[in-house]
Amino acid sequence: MTNIFVEGLVDFNYERGYRYTFKAKKIWMSEPPQDVSDIKYIISELLSKEKVITADKEEEMTLFVASETIKFIPRYRKEYEAEDESSPNIYNALRVKEVGTDSWMALVNIEDFNYESGWEYEIRVKKVTQAEPYSVKYVLLDIVLKKEKS
């Protein structure tokens, strides 16, 4: 994923669970900051705000949980803001992926799951997505496999 600069959006309150469309001007920077795209966008107008998740949903899935936690800073700082607004909270999160996929994710919590460092798990969970207000949580259903990482 490429980092992009976005400027000009005043009084915009991002809400998870929505898709936004903006009118923006694309500007090519001649000397961009290091490790940043040479393109920046100046947003002039919000064209649409569409609710993506419109109904509550529950699904069961099997997750692989790695033997060590990772440091995690949430993408949506507003929801996990530290008391000192100048820096976000940093969490020890579980490193998990759905069995059969290669896509890893960080989960701060799985309800009713007592993780032990040094152990790998395969667990069945229920993923609960709530439409209003938007939220996602994972609840342990069963531990399928627990083995010590050698």
Side-chain angles (χ1 to χ4, degrees), residues 36-74:
V36 175
S37 171
D38 58 351
I39 301 170
K40 82 174 180 179
Y41 297 88
I42 298 178
I43 296 177
S44 58
E45 182 181 353
L46 172 63
L47 299 175
S48 69
K49 175 182 175 184
E50 174 188 350
K51 189 153 184 63
V52 177
I53 307 297
T54 57
D56 294 348
K57 179 179 168 183
E58 291 186 3
E59 61 184 301
E60 289 186 18
M61 58 180 47
T62 303
L63 299 177
F64 172 80
V65 182
S67 61
E68 295 181 8
T69 59
I70 56 174
K71 298 292 183 194
F72 174 68
I73 300 174

Side-chain angles (χ1 to χ4, degrees), residues 16 72-83 87-91 108 136:
R16 288 180 68 184
F72 174 68
I73 300 174
R75 180 183 305 176
Y76 306 104
R77 287 184 56 186
K78 181 178 179 184
E79 296 180 13
Y80 300 97
E81 198 78 30
E83 286 185 24
S87 63
N89 286 334
I90 299 174
Y91 294 91
V108 174
V136 176

Side-chain angles (χ1 to χ4, degrees), residues 98-110:
E98 188 171 0
V99 171
T101 69
D102 292 325
S103 185
W104 289 94
M105 60 183 164
L107 294 181
V108 174
N109 183 43
I110 298 173

Side-chain angles (χ1 to χ4, degrees), residues 6-35:
V6 178
E7 292 182 5
L9 199 56
V10 179
D11 297 327
F12 173 67
N13 185 18
Y14 174 79
E15 293 179 66
R16 288 180 68 184
Y18 288 86
R19 178 181 303 125
Y20 297 89
T21 305
F22 298 96
K23 182 176 181 180
K25 182 177 181 180
K26 183 176 186 178
I27 298 174
W28 293 89
M29 296 186 294
S30 58
E31 295 182 31
Q34 188 175 0
D35 298 330

Side-chain angles (χ1 to χ4, degrees), residues 117-130:
S117 183
W119 292 80
E120 294 179 334
Y121 298 84
E122 188 172 302
I123 60 174
R124 285 186 335 99
V125 297
K126 178 171 50 174
K127 179 181 178 183
V128 180
T129 305
Q130 182 178 308

